[in-house]
Amino acid sequence: MSQDLTEPVSDVFVIGGGPAGSTVATLLAMQGRRVTLADKDVHPRFHIGESLLPQSVPLFRRLGVLEDIARIGVPKFGADFVSQYHGRTQTFWFARAFDESLPSAFHVARAEFDELLITRAAECGVDVMQGCEVTGAMRDPATGVWTLEARHAGGPRRWRARYVVDASGRDTFFAGRMGWKVANPDHTSAAMFTHYAGVPRSTGPDAGNIQLYWFAHGWFWAIPLAGDITSIGAVCWPQYLKTRTGPIERFFDDTVAMAPDLARRLTGARRVAEITATGNYSYKSSRIGGPGYVLVGDAYGFVDPLFSTGVLLAMEGAASAADRVHRVLDAPALEDELMREHAGYVDQAMEQFIWLINRMPNPIMRDLIMMPDHKIAAPRAVMCKRAVISLLSGDVFGNSLALMREHLRNFKLVYYWHCLTQPLRWLRFQRFRRAFLSG
């Protein structure tokens, strides 16, 4: 007699236990829903994206994890842009954003952070299955009930659920299978990253700031983590990554040498993790879901890791999805309307970041970012800078969104004006960009 491996029907089945999956599962469980979460990994596991944004703090509080994150994290009050082309550093303090109530955030080791979130989900009543890879999902059109098949502990498992949330990350469970995943044609990129020990830090309030170092093919991040560990990574053109002919360690060191300020800072430091390389960073699904399912976090789309915007977008998008799925379960007729609202909520946030990230390597944008404070005196210019700081702090969902967007439009006009007044410089960069973008 064959064994029945089918579990009772859950309200919601969540595929993936990263920040998005744990967030949506926890919030739904808090609202009394029966939730099952399956993650193919076993926590803790390494992941990139270690710098959290101030606008995530209210959600951490809502999830009940803020104190735990503060315990494992390094306080972060701003962002330092280090430019070899200008010979100085420009600091953007989050306290100068439009939302002055959120002046700081944290850097975290993602292995600890992600484990903390999935543990919180279990504490809230989510049935968490780690080391469980979902292999199939089928919805009965007559009943609307899903059947999920998975491999767990070396054998097959089967679940049933009324609703499915795809939080599978870059595995893109639905988008990948359905052919919905579309790379960003304007900013296809690659990344290399690793961890160092012994990297010098400031002893002042900027000790926990994230640093961005520009170089010819993109930018480096430097993120101070707890325990004398610093995350170092390069976001670069994909074709540049393909120029590597030798060991990746030597290629990484040669790339670091293109950012002299960072190279000097790493003198005497030692690498304590393998170098990881990945490509096709920016993408988005052409659909956010359908009847009885929704895509959240990286399963829907990913924006280049400028200050780890991905964690904010994933978790805030998951919170939005959780609130709407909760309503849909009680009123299925509202699904189309609620999911259109959800898609608009997430898409507008992604678009704000994409505009800046696509132009970050441009020397004209560098000039504007590196403009000294004493040259930003006019009230309109001050408001433009506050809008950029608000964007960098992640204020793409909050109460100051309308104000930020208004003055960010003015900043965009300033940028376009500078491009028009420096056509040869702009054209030279565009030719260079095209040569290295087709990876």
Side-chain angles (χ1 to χ4, degrees):
M1 180 180 296
S2 61
Q3 183 181 6
D4 184 2
L5 301 173
T6 304
E7 298 288 339
V9 179
S10 298
D11 290 319
V12 181
F13 190 96
V14 180
I15 305 172
S22 295
T23 296
V24 72
T26 299
L27 293 178
L28 283 165
M30 284 179 168
Q31 296 179 86
R33 298 299 181 181
R34 180 176 178 180
V35 183
T36 301
L37 182 153
D39 192 350
K40 72 173 186 178
D41 291 326
V42 176
H43 293 258
R45 83 284 189 271
F46 176 81
H47 204 285
I48 206 65
E50 300 132 324
S51 187
L52 308 177
L53 302 186
Q55 290 294 325
S56 293
V57 169
L59 181 54
F60 297 155
R61 188 177 292 113
R62 180 183 175 189
L63 290 167
V65 296
L66 181 57
E67 291 184 1
D68 291 326
I69 292 173
R71 173 177 50 81
I72 67 171
V74 172
K76 161 190 172 184
F77 293 93
D80 301 331
F81 289 81
V82 186
S83 174
Q84 60 180 300
Y85 307 102
H86 299 82
R88 55 187 174 79
T89 298
Q90 186 74 13
T91 299
F92 287 67
W93 298 101
F94 298 133
R96 298 178 185 173
F98 289 130
D99 186 351
E100 298 177 354
S101 69
L102 298 170
S104 64
F106 306 95
H107 303 298
V108 292
R110 281 291 301 277
E112 294 179 89
F113 177 74
D114 290 10
E115 184 177 27
L116 187 158
L117 292 179
I118 201 170
T119 299
R120 178 59 177 161
E123 291 172 350
C124 291
V126 177
D127 182 14
V128 174
M129 309 292 293
Q130 298 191 49
C132 181
E133 183 179 6
V134 176
T135 56
M138 182 72 67
R139 184 173 185 260
D140 185 335
T143 64
V145 174
W146 288 86
T147 298
L148 290 303
E149 296 182 345
R151 288 190 295 267
H152 183 238
R157 293 291 298 273
R158 189 180 301 114
W159 286 267
R160 293 185 296 162
R162 297 169 58 197
Y163 213 95
V164 173
V165 176
D166 180 3
S168 59
R170 287 168 62 83
D171 287 347
T172 57
F173 182 86
F174 276 112
R177 285 165 170 76
M178 303 300 290
W180 299 337
K181 185 176 179 180
V182 180
N184 183 341
D186 296 322
H187 197 77
T188 303
S189 63
M192 302 180 288
F193 43 87
T194 186
H195 284 173
Y196 283 80
V199 179
R201 300 182 186 178
S202 166
T203 56
D206 59 342
N209 286 5
I210 183 173
Q211 293 88 32
L212 182 148
Y213 298 81
W214 276 296
F215 70 107
H217 300 283
W219 65 80
F220 276 95
W221 73 72
I223 301 172
L225 303 174
D228 192 35
I229 299 298
T230 302
S231 173
I232 304 292
V235 179
C236 52
W237 311 121
Q239 196 60 40
Y240 169 71
L241 203 60
K242 290 185 177 182
T243 63
R244 176 170 71 93
T245 57
I248 192 169
E249 292 79 10
R250 186 176 67 197
F251 184 74
F252 190 86
D253 290 341
D254 290 343
T255 306
V256 169
M258 296 182 186
D261 296 287
L262 177 61
R264 284 191 291 270
R265 193 173 168 204
L266 294 181
T267 300
R270 66 185 188 282
R271 227 172 4 240
V272 293
E274 293 183 359
I275 297 170
T276 300
T278 185
N280 297 322
Y281 248 54
S282 290
Y283 62 85
K284 184 179 175 185
S285 171
S286 60
R287 295 183 60 179
I288 202 167
Y293 68 105
V294 65
L295 283 56
V296 299
D298 294 358
Y300 175 54
F302 184 77
V303 179
D304 273 354
L306 179 64
F307 308 130
S308 301
T309 53
V311 176
L312 171 78
L313 291 171
M315 294 184 69
E316 286 290 345
S320 168
D323 293 340
R324 288 170 170 83
V325 169
H326 177 62
R327 294 176 62 188
V328 168
L329 289 170
D330 289 334
L334 296 177
E335 182 174 28
D336 288 347
E337 176 186 348
L338 290 173
M339 288 307 158
R340 278 196 301 271
E341 291 177 0
H342 170 62
Y345 183 75
V346 174
D347 288 348
Q348 66 82 23
M350 294 179 71
E351 288 165 6
Q352 304 299 327
F353 287 125
I354 287 171
W355 184 88
L356 180 62
I357 290 171
N358 284 356
R359 291 156 182 81
M360 189 58 68
N362 191 311
I364 296 174
M365 178 60 75
R366 285 200 303 256
D367 287 351
L368 294 176
I369 293 292
M370 296 305 298
M371 188 174 294
D373 286 343
H374 70 268
K375 291 188 176 181
I376 306 176
R380 180 171 293 185
V382 172
M383 295 297 276
C384 284
K385 180 165 184 178
R386 292 190 69 183
V388 173
I389 296 173
S390 296
L391 181 60
L392 297 178
S393 74
D395 198 0
V396 291
F397 298 107
N399 295 329
S400 300
L401 174 60
L403 186 62
M404 186 271 288
R405 293 178 70 171
E406 174 188 351
H407 292 286
L408 193 62
R409 281 195 293 269
N410 292 334
F411 177 75
K412 292 177 181 179
L413 291 174
V414 171
Y415 166 79
Y416 292 132
W417 171 253
H418 279 264
C419 290
L420 287 172
T421 58
Q422 304 174 67
L424 293 180
R425 192 181 185 202
W426 183 84
L427 283 170
R428 282 196 299 269
F429 172 75
Q430 292 302 319
R431 290 170 182 161
F432 177 81
R433 174 177 175 272
R434 282 194 294 269
F436 282 94
L437 195 58
S438 57

